[in-house]
Amino acid sequence: MSSECMPTPNEEDWKKIAEGFQHRANCPHCLGAVDGKHIRITKPPGSASLYFNYKHFYSIVLLAVADSNYRFTYIHVGSFGKDSDSTIFKNSSLWDKLQNNSLNIPSPNFIPGINIPIPYAFVGDEAFGLSTNVLRPYAGKYLQDIKRTFNYRLSRARRYVECSFGILSNKWRIFHRPIDVNVEFAIDIVKCCCVLHNFVRDRDGFKFDDTLTITGMEDLDYDNNLYANRSVNRYRDALANYFVSEDGQISWQNEKI
C-alpha cells in the first residue's frame, strides 16, 4: 500500500503541497514539515546501547515529513535512539536526495514583495541545520521583532507534523507502550502504521482532539548544528523581512509574538 498511500511526490505534487501550506499556514514555498520522534522499544539483545537514548529508555526513531493535510509524504524509520535530529536527518535518504537534486523540487521563483528568487524548502525546528531547502527558526531567546515574527510564522507550518504525530499515536495505540518485538519487526510495524495513517486519513478524516496530544512518543535531542552559508541565510532573512512587509504580513501576527 505504500506506493498508493505514500507515493513519492513529483514537481506538480510539491507545488500543490506548497499551495496547501500557503493557504492553511500562510507559509510560502513550504514543501512539508519535518520532525522526528523516539518510538519506545523493549531492550534489544546485542548492541542495546545504540538504542538507549538521552532520555534513558530504548527507542528507534521515526523521522517524518507531513503536508498541510496531516499526511506523511516521507518517513525514515530505524535510526538509533542515541542519535540527534540533525544526525538522523543527514543520514536519511531524504537528505541524500536533497544533496543530489533528485527530489523533483520546483525551481526557485519570485514571491511578490521579495526581490530574489526563493527556493522551496522543508521547515523544521532548531535541530535541523539551515540549508537551501531546509528552513529552521532563528536561535536565541532575545530576538528582534522581525526574527520573532519569522519564528512564529514558521511554527504555524511546523505544527502540521506535530499534529500528524498526534493523530498517528492516538489512532494506533501500539505506540502507547514499548514495542516488545525484535528491532527489525518494530521498524516494520512503525512503517505500516504510517502507511495506514495516510489510508485512514484519506478515508475517514481525523479527530481534532487527536492533534492536540502525542502519546507514547518523545522529542529527539539536538546539537545546535549550524552549517548555513551566507547565501542560505539570505533566503531566510528575505522571508523574515517579507513576513513584516505589507505584502507578506497577516493582520493578527503581532498579537501572537
Side-chain angles (χ1 to χ4, degrees):
M1 293 174 61
S2 60
S3 60
E4 178 182 348
C5 298
M6 201 183 298
T8 302
N10 57 32
E11 183 172 344
E12 289 304 311
D13 293 331
W14 288 127
K15 289 181 179 179
K16 290 179 181 178
I17 290 171
E19 288 173 2
F21 277 102
Q22 174 68 64
H23 175 69
R24 295 183 177 92
N26 307 106
C27 186
H29 284 200
C30 179
L31 299 174
V34 58
D35 200 3
K37 294 293 181 185
H38 287 289
I39 307 297
R40 292 175 180 265
I41 60 173
T42 57
K43 181 180 179 180
S47 55
S49 61
L50 295 174
Y51 298 94
F52 194 69
N53 61 53
Y54 77 107
K55 293 191 174 182
H56 306 296
F57 61 85
Y58 295 95
S59 66
I60 55 176
V61 174
L62 165 61
L63 179 75
V65 176
D67 64 18
S68 64
N69 289 311
Y70 307 113
R71 298 179 78 261
F72 295 120
T73 57
Y74 171 85
I75 58 171
H76 175 81
V77 187
S79 294
F80 300 136
K82 68 180 182 61
D83 291 336
S84 65
D85 268 15
S86 58
T87 299
I88 292 163
F89 185 50
K90 291 175 71 175
N91 289 335
S92 70
S93 59
L94 179 63
W95 176 258
D96 291 338
K97 291 178 180 179
L98 281 174
Q99 297 306 296
N100 59 32
N101 297 315
S102 61
L103 273 180
N104 300 313
I105 293 175
S107 299
N109 57 34
F110 287 93
I111 296 172
I114 303 180
N115 60 6
I116 59 172
I118 300 298
Y120 287 80
F122 299 96
V123 298
D125 61 19
E126 293 88 346
F128 297 95
L130 190 67
S131 66
T132 301
N133 297 116
V134 179
L135 285 175
R136 55 168 280 169
Y138 288 100
K141 293 182 179 180
Y142 305 104
L143 297 173
Q144 298 173 334
D145 285 349
I146 187 172
K147 293 183 177 180
R148 290 168 56 213
T149 299
F150 174 87
N151 286 358
Y152 167 68
R153 293 286 292 271
L154 200 71
S155 72
R156 283 174 48 80
R158 284 170 41 215
R159 69 182 181 181
Y160 282 91
V161 69
E162 289 291 321
C163 292
S164 299
F165 284 136
I167 297 168
L168 176 72
S169 67
N170 286 297
K171 183 70 174 181
W172 310 105
R173 299 198 174 189
I174 192 170
F175 295 114
H176 292 196
R177 57 178 176 80
I179 301 177
D180 189 11
V181 296
N182 65 59
V183 173
E184 290 74 18
F185 192 16
I187 291 170
D188 289 340
I189 289 172
V190 175
K191 289 179 178 179
C192 286
C193 288
C194 291
V195 172
L196 289 171
H197 164 91
N198 281 5
F199 176 79
V200 173
R201 171 70 188 85
D202 291 340
R203 189 188 68 175
D204 299 335
F206 64 95
K207 295 180 180 179
F208 176 75
D209 287 349
D210 288 345
T211 68
L212 303 178
T213 59
I214 300 173
T215 306
M217 299 179 180
E218 298 286 343
D219 291 335
L220 303 189
D221 190 15
Y222 65 90
D223 54 10
N224 283 317
N225 189 359
L226 303 174
Y227 49 89
N229 57 38
R230 290 184 179 180
S231 176
V232 173
N233 281 324
R234 182 177 62 149
Y235 300 136
R236 183 170 65 174
D237 292 343
L239 282 169
N241 283 287
Y242 170 73
F243 288 152
V244 297
S245 71
E246 183 176 345
D247 292 307
Q249 68 178 324
I250 47 182
S251 59
W252 38 265
Q253 66 188 22
N254 291 334
E255 301 172 6
K256 300 295 184 179
I257 64 168

